[in-house]
């Protein structure tokens, strides 16, 4: 991450504008056990109280890193029930990084969030059709398959 | 204009304070100190 992704201008701009960046050594006596650090790189999103919202492990190249952060931010809002905000984050993934590995999950979660907001079952049907058409090799197609029966 | 580097904080308490003030989430990188 230090050699490739963190020096990348898009990553610097995104993190500097949208997040509070914090680096902690993986052998930190208090925080490593608290966050159950077993391997690095370990990347977490926390709220302002320090509560963990999401985590990913392993290297991300720059073109995958920003969409993964957007997806994580959207999922954090989704989990808090802040669906309109979550949908905006998922839309950013799909508009700006449609070829990233985060995009299929963004399609799925955007459709689910829209369904919960509107109770319109077409959002579930459409998310399956979108995944099948645009991301046919993604595991998210299988996860959405039940919606093809609605 | 892009900043040259990410301006990392090194204290969770400081990060929590900034996040609360700015309405942002904290991005925490646990790194291998080598």
């Amino acid at each position: 991450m230090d050699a490739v992704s963190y020096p990348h201008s898009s990553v610097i701009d995104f993190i500097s504008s949208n997040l509070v960046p914090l680096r902690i050594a993986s052998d930190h006596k208090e925080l490593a056990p608290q966050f159950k650090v077993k391997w690095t790189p370990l990347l977490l999103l926390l709220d302002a109280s320090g509560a963990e919202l999401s985590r990913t492990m392993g290297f991300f190249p720059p073109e995958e890193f920003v969409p993964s952060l957007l997806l994580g931010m959207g999922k954090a809002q989704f989990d808090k029930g802040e669906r309109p905000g979550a949908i905006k984050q998922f839309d950013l993934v799909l508009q700006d990084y449609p070829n990233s590995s985060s995009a299929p999950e963004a399609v799925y979660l955007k459709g689910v969030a829209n369904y919960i907001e509107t109770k319109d079952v077409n959002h579930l049907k459409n998310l399956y059709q979108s995944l099948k058409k645009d991301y046919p090799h993604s595991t998210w197609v299988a996860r959405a398959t039940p919606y093809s029966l609605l | 204009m892009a900043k040259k580097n990410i301006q990392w904080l090194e204290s969770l308490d400081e990060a929590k304070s900034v996040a609360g003030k700015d309405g942002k989430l904290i991005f925490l990188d646990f790194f291998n100190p080598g």
Side-chain angles (χ1 to χ4, degrees):
Chain A
M1 299 298 291
D2 286 324
V4 177
S5 293
Y6 288 146
H8 198 277
S9 60
S10 67
V11 173
I12 295 171
D13 287 347
F14 185 84
I15 289 179
S16 300
S17 299
N18 296 286
L19 297 163
V20 179
L22 171 65
R23 291 201 93 184
I24 302 288
S26 60
D27 60 357
H28 191 285
K29 288 183 179 177
E30 177 188 352
L31 295 178
Q34 178 180 330
F35 287 98
K36 300 179 173 61
V37 179
K38 305 298 181 191
W39 192 250
T40 62
L42 177 64
L43 312 172
L44 291 83
L45 288 176
L46 315 177
D47 67 17
S49 74
E52 180 178 333
L53 303 173
S54 69
R55 69 167 55 198
T56 60
M57 191 184 295
F59 170 76
F60 283 90
E63 67 273 16
E64 290 286 347
F65 191 36
V66 171
S68 77
L69 290 170
L70 280 168
L71 181 64
M73 293 162 69
K75 289 166 72 174
Q77 288 184 285
F78 180 88
D79 289 343
K80 291 169 66 178
E82 298 172 357
R83 286 179 289 274
I87 291 167
K88 288 181 182 176
Q89 304 287 17
F90 302 142
D91 274 334
L92 286 174
V93 175
L94 299 173
Q95 290 165 12
D96 296 344
Y97 306 94
N99 297 320
S100 71
S101 61
S102 297
E105 188 172 358
V107 171
Y108 183 96
L109 290 172
K110 177 187 172 183
V112 170
N114 274 315
Y115 169 70
I116 295 171
E117 284 293 297
T118 65
K119 305 303 183 220
D120 181 350
V121 74
N122 284 310
H123 288 297
L124 299 179
K125 294 179 180 178
N126 292 340
L127 81 82
Y128 170 75
Q129 294 299 334
S130 294
L131 286 166
K132 187 178 175 186
K133 173 177 172 285
D134 297 330
Y135 305 100
H137 303 297
S138 168
T139 59
W140 289 96
V141 176
R143 298 197 199 193
T145 297
Y147 307 145
S148 68
L149 305 174
L150 296 174
Chain B
M1 186 174 179
K3 294 178 181 177
K4 290 182 178 178
N5 298 106
I6 296 171
Q7 303 299 304
W8 295 101
L9 301 181
E10 297 178 352
S11 157
L12 177 57
D13 285 340
E14 184 181 4
K16 287 161 63 174
S17 175
V18 174
K21 179 167 58 73
D22 293 352
K24 295 180 179 177
L25 299 181
I26 299 166
F27 170 63
L28 169 53
D29 172 13
F30 276 106
F31 69 98
N32 185 343

